[in-house]
Amino acid sequence: MVESGRGGTHQARFERDVITEQVTKRVSQLDIGDASLVFGRIDQAEEAGGESFYIGRVAVWDDAQDPITVDWRAPVAESFYRATGRQPMGLVRRRHFASRGRTLLGIEDEYFGDGASDTIDGPLIKGKQTLAITMEQARTGRLGDIIATIQGEQDEVIRSPLPGVLVVQGGPGTGKTVVALHRAAYLLYTHRFPLEGQGVLVIGPNRVFLTYIEQVLPSLGEAGVQLSVLSDLVPRVRVRGFDNEKIAHVKGDPAMSHLLRRAVRDRERPLRHDLVVGHGLQRLRVSVEESATIVAEARRRYNKHNSARSFVRDELFRTLAASSRTDDVDWVVLRDRMVKTLEIRETLEWMWPTLTADHLLHDLYGSLALLRSAARGEIAREDVELLHRPRSRHVSEVIWTAHDVPLLDEARMILGPRPSHRDEDAIRTYGHIVVDEAQDLSPMQLRMLKRRSLNGSMTLVGDIAQATGAWAADSWDLVVEELAHRKPARFAQLTVGYRLPQPTMDVAARVLRAAAPQLDPPISVRETGDAPRFVDVEQPARLPAAVVALVRSELEEIGHGNLAVIAPDEMVVQISRVLRDNGVEHGLMYEGALTHRVTVVPVGLVKGLELDASVVVEPARIVADERNGLRALYVALTRATRRLAVVHALALPDCLSPH
């Protein structure tokens, strides 16, 4: 059907191309790997139609176009996730298939109406046995989907309307990340037109996190969503590492937007001396005053710097031609003849240079004079000096930090596309944007996101209690203010925790009360579990050996699961060296995702990850070293689904101390 032979009409070849594209897209949707196709069934009451539907990852039809499985995002499947004893939504039975890969592990039925089971009236959770089997499976180092176990409050978020900003607050283990990804898949299914053409963008906090979540959307039949970190959105620059918190705070300040505008304005300058060029037997002239008039008119006419370059060039030649003693000098002929001469090029580069964002920022950072001129007293002198750094020989050699990215993007917006580079310099927009860990974004990063939203449609997920960045928010209102749009923001909260056993949640809740007393901890559905272990080695010299011993004992307890050693950033290299010297094979989080059974993770990169077991090293140092130390500790304590161990030589923070 799709083979291309010789000859044929243009229409036939075009039709073959269209068919090929559609077949390829369908095949990619059906490629679900080893995941089970079907995970549920609903049986409707007679008055609701009396039909039965199997709920699956993707829709499949037989030769008669009757549904074999219904896509989980279809309207008819909503009752599978939403029905309760009080609101059965026309169901008499809901069936869950618990599976691991393609192996069926069990079947769980829930009845509604006259045949309702005792557990259907007050249940917080549906499909408890299926959920328990899912949570007890060992972690793989990649985030999996929750398509078979989506709960009611999660489904409300997933199926929330497309327009406007949706903010989802959720504590650790509530599934906010995976719910946001399922929402992206749902929106693409429900609003295929126009979202497939406009695009859906998912922003993660770092590249390790993107690797961790990359399998979720393909497993749901959606491979066309773009997963990115913010630095991916600015082309042709090399980005590595982060600034310290003082510099990061300065670079994230919204006042930097005004500083950059003034920096661009400082590059739009009248001549310092009259321009005089020879033309035949006469000399043509542009005075300083005339050049100032050209610059002022260009500023008035154009919003984007680079767009005005051709106007300044042409006005310069018009003024030169007008200075002739005769009337026979055509400014167009003059321009074509002289525009590439060194003198004219130097003049234009002085008056109105064509700029890229990296050139502008490189020049700005490399000159205290330019920085102070652009700051104009709006930013404190000591903060301005933090931005200064030695110039590189060439801008292509510069390694930018993640906190430079929103400034580069802001400059790119102010400058506008360069002449003849409009497509290359254009800022891509998207029909919907999903942002994870949004509580850590600075005002400048939020401006960058708003710039990429085609219509203000966004999903922001995060946890205020886990806000640990230089601009960590204490309220979602502060985040929403930066993303203000025509429609007011909507707020949703995930209150049920599925990842943490209750004993671990009890320990973490003590830290939460100290770190963010205004927030309530999630309600854990896993009422039992192993109690966290606290190992006091008393002397710092004994700490490395204790970590090794603890890692080995915890690995024996969890069997085939994975384990992370979560440590203060400054201790990661030391701990890795000790593990290596003692023959414990492990990976470093800096080098990629959780590809080893044991991974040493700096506390600054652990946010959002899910593990079977974790060993948290020296909580007191985590609290002391991090700007939001208690929140960072809260993050570290809430990563493991099965076992938590804490090892320390220093005294525990008061909120963890048993006394």
Side-chain angles (χ1 to χ4, degrees):
M1 188 178 183
V2 298
E3 285 181 351
S4 296
R6 288 189 174 185
T9 64
H10 289 300
Q11 179 177 340
R13 289 194 292 270
F14 175 76
E15 288 174 354
R16 282 198 298 267
D17 290 343
V18 171
I19 293 170
T20 301
E21 182 181 351
Q22 294 302 317
V23 170
T24 302
K25 185 182 299 182
R26 182 60 176 157
V27 168
S28 67
Q29 290 173 344
L30 294 174
D31 184 9
I32 60 173
D34 289 330
S36 57
L37 171 64
V38 181
F39 52 83
R41 191 179 96 179
I42 52 175
D43 298 337
Q44 297 177 336
E46 288 297 327
E47 57 270 22
E51 294 187 83
S52 296
F53 296 96
Y54 285 92
I55 313 301
R57 293 177 179 274
V58 293
V60 181
W61 303 271
D62 61 19
D63 290 340
Q65 297 301 302
D66 293 324
I68 297 173
T69 64
V70 174
D71 192 295
W72 66 277
R73 298 164 288 188
V76 73
E78 186 173 349
S79 58
F80 178 76
Y81 298 110
R82 297 278 189 93
T84 65
R86 294 187 179 89
Q87 293 182 315
M89 300 180 70
L91 299 189
V92 294
R93 179 172 65 176
R94 171 170 56 206
R95 170 167 287 181
H96 301 269
F97 300 106
S99 61
R100 181 177 295 121
R102 299 185 182 186
T103 303
L104 182 65
L105 302 178
I107 296 175
E108 178 182 7
D109 283 345
E110 295 174 288
Y111 293 91
F112 301 85
D114 295 338
S117 63
D118 294 337
T119 61
I120 206 67
D121 280 336
L124 188 63
I125 305 301
K126 69 166 188 63
K128 277 194 171 183
Q129 295 176 17
T130 307
L131 180 62
I133 291 173
T134 302
M135 294 309 301
E136 288 168 5
Q137 294 182 16
R139 308 300 104 180
T140 65
R142 295 288 193 279
L143 184 63
D145 61 63
I146 58 167
I147 189 172
T149 58
I150 293 171
Q151 302 299 314
E153 69 173 10
Q154 296 174 325
D155 192 63
E156 287 185 29
V157 171
I158 291 170
R159 297 176 190 265
S160 182
L162 171 67
V165 175
L166 174 65
V167 178
V168 183
Q169 160 69 32
T174 55
K176 54 187 177 295
T177 295
V178 74
V179 164
L181 295 173
H182 283 65
R183 173 163 168 75
Y186 170 78
L187 291 176
L188 268 170
Y189 174 86
T190 309
H191 305 277
R192 185 71 63 185
F193 177 81
L195 283 185
E196 191 167 53
Q198 295 172 346
V200 174
L201 174 67
V202 175
I203 294 292
N206 53 61
R207 211 168 298 284
V208 169
F209 182 80
L210 294 186
T211 306
Y212 176 62
I213 68 172
E214 67 184 357
Q215 294 178 351
V216 175
L217 285 165
S219 76
L220 300 176
E222 296 295 347
V225 177
Q226 181 176 336
L227 303 181
S228 299
V229 293
L230 286 175
S231 58
D232 294 334
L233 304 181
V234 178
R236 304 184 305 278
V237 295
R238 294 187 294 167
V239 180
R240 187 185 309 143
F242 302 87
D243 290 304
N244 64 50
E245 289 199 346
K246 284 186 177 181
I247 298 177
H249 195 271
V250 175
K251 291 181 178 179
D253 195 312
M256 288 299 296
S257 174
H258 304 296
L259 181 145
L260 290 172
R261 286 190 177 276
R262 288 190 292 266
V264 172
R265 196 175 179 88
D266 285 343
R267 304 296 294 273
E268 302 165 355
R269 303 164 290 195
L271 296 173
R272 292 178 293 181
H273 309 285
D274 291 354
L275 170 66
V276 180
V277 296
H279 179 67
L281 298 177
Q282 60 180 324
R283 301 178 73 79
L284 306 180
R285 180 183 302 271
V286 175
S287 68
V288 172
E289 292 76 14
E290 288 171 326
S291 71
T293 300
I294 294 172
V295 169
E297 185 65 14
R299 287 174 176 169
R300 187 184 69 81
R301 290 193 181 199
Y302 294 88
N303 292 324
K304 306 295 184 185
H305 171 86
N306 285 331
S307 300
R309 165 74 175 216
S310 58
F311 171 82
V312 173
R313 178 200 63 201
D314 290 350
E315 287 301 301
L316 183 71
F317 282 105
R318 281 194 178 98
T319 306
L320 282 171
S323 70
S324 171
R325 297 191 301 270
T326 64
D327 295 331
D328 59 350
V329 178
D330 186 322
W331 74 269
V332 176
V333 175
L334 186 67
R335 180 192 65 187
D336 294 343
R337 182 180 301 169
M338 300 187 64
V339 71
K340 294 184 179 180
T341 63
L342 180 60
E343 192 170 17
I344 294 297
R345 286 163 52 196
E346 287 178 343
T347 299
L348 287 172
E349 286 304 303
W350 172 264
M351 290 181 63
W352 205 280
T354 298
L355 294 170
T356 61
D358 49 343
H359 276 94
L360 176 72
L361 213 58
H362 181 237
D363 290 344
L364 187 63
Y365 283 168
S367 169
L368 271 175
L370 288 176
L371 283 168
R372 289 167 181 162
S373 174
R376 310 273 171 85
E378 189 172 338
I379 298 178
R381 186 182 183 91
E382 58 271 20
D383 289 342
V384 170
E385 291 175 354
L386 289 174
L387 299 175
H388 177 62
R389 67 185 189 193
R391 285 175 56 88
S392 300
R393 288 184 302 172
H394 193 272
V395 68
S396 62
E397 300 174 354
V398 177
I399 304 295
W400 304 96
T401 70
H403 297 105
D404 289 320
V405 169
L407 303 185
L408 288 165
D409 195 67
E410 188 81 17
R412 189 176 168 204
M413 184 273 296
I414 295 168
L415 293 170
R418 293 166 293 164
S420 305
H421 294 81
R422 296 197 176 278
D423 292 340
E424 183 182 349
D425 290 349
I427 294 177
R428 167 79 193 275
T429 57
Y430 297 85
H432 189 77
I433 300 176
V434 176
V435 187
D436 205 347
E437 305 299 350
Q439 76 279 352
D440 282 331
L441 296 181
S442 71
M444 291 300 292
Q445 289 170 324
L446 292 169
R447 285 173 62 89
M448 182 177 179
L449 287 174
K450 184 178 180 180
R451 200 171 293 129
R452 275 160 180 77
S453 176
L454 184 63
N455 48 26
S457 178
M458 295 187 187
T459 300
L460 310 179
V461 299
D463 181 10
I464 293 297
Q466 299 183 59
T468 57
W471 280 88
D474 293 322
S475 165
W476 282 113
D477 293 337
L478 302 175
V479 176
V480 171
E481 281 178 13
E482 296 292 337
L483 299 174
H485 203 262
R486 292 186 297 271
K487 291 182 177 292
R490 310 189 307 279
F491 291 86
Q493 185 164 8
L494 300 176
T495 60
V496 181
Y498 308 95
R499 180 173 69 220
L500 301 182
Q502 190 63 53
T504 300
M505 193 68 246
D506 290 341
V507 171
R510 283 153 44 192
V511 179
L512 178 63
R513 283 193 290 271
Q518 76 276 19
L519 297 176
D520 295 322
I523 302 167
S524 178
V525 301
R526 301 176 63 195
E527 299 173 356
T528 60
D530 295 326
R533 295 174 61 188
F534 287 84
V535 179
D536 185 356
V537 299
E538 298 181 351
Q539 297 180 16
R542 298 178 180 175
L543 186 65
V547 170
V548 173
L550 202 51
V551 167
R552 286 175 170 157
S553 65
E554 290 296 303
L555 287 176
E556 291 180 3
E557 293 289 340
I558 63 174
H560 297 291
N562 63 9
L563 178 148
V565 180
I566 304 170
D569 293 8
E570 300 299 325
M571 296 183 66
V572 166
V573 174
Q574 176 193 5
I575 290 173
S576 175
R577 185 185 306 116
V578 170
L579 289 174
R580 185 177 63 250
D581 291 345
N582 284 271
V584 179
E585 185 179 348
H586 66 283
L588 283 172
M589 183 55 92
Y590 297 121
E591 299 168 357
L594 302 170
T595 53
H596 292 74
R597 194 172 173 216
V598 178
T599 309
V600 182
V601 186
V603 70
L605 288 181
V606 76
K607 193 178 297 179
L609 300 184
E610 186 177 285
L611 310 151
D612 287 294
S614 58
V615 175
V616 179
V617 181
E618 211 60 275
R621 282 197 61 177
I622 291 176
V623 173
D625 293 352
E626 298 291 320
R627 182 173 180 269
N628 293 281
L630 285 173
R631 292 181 179 183
L633 178 58
Y634 178 65
V635 173
L637 295 172
T638 54
R639 298 303 98 199
T641 63
R642 293 167 61 186
R643 293 181 62 84
L644 167 67
V646 178
V647 57
H648 63 101
L650 303 175
L652 289 171
D654 291 342
C655 56
L656 277 184
S657 175
H659 307 296

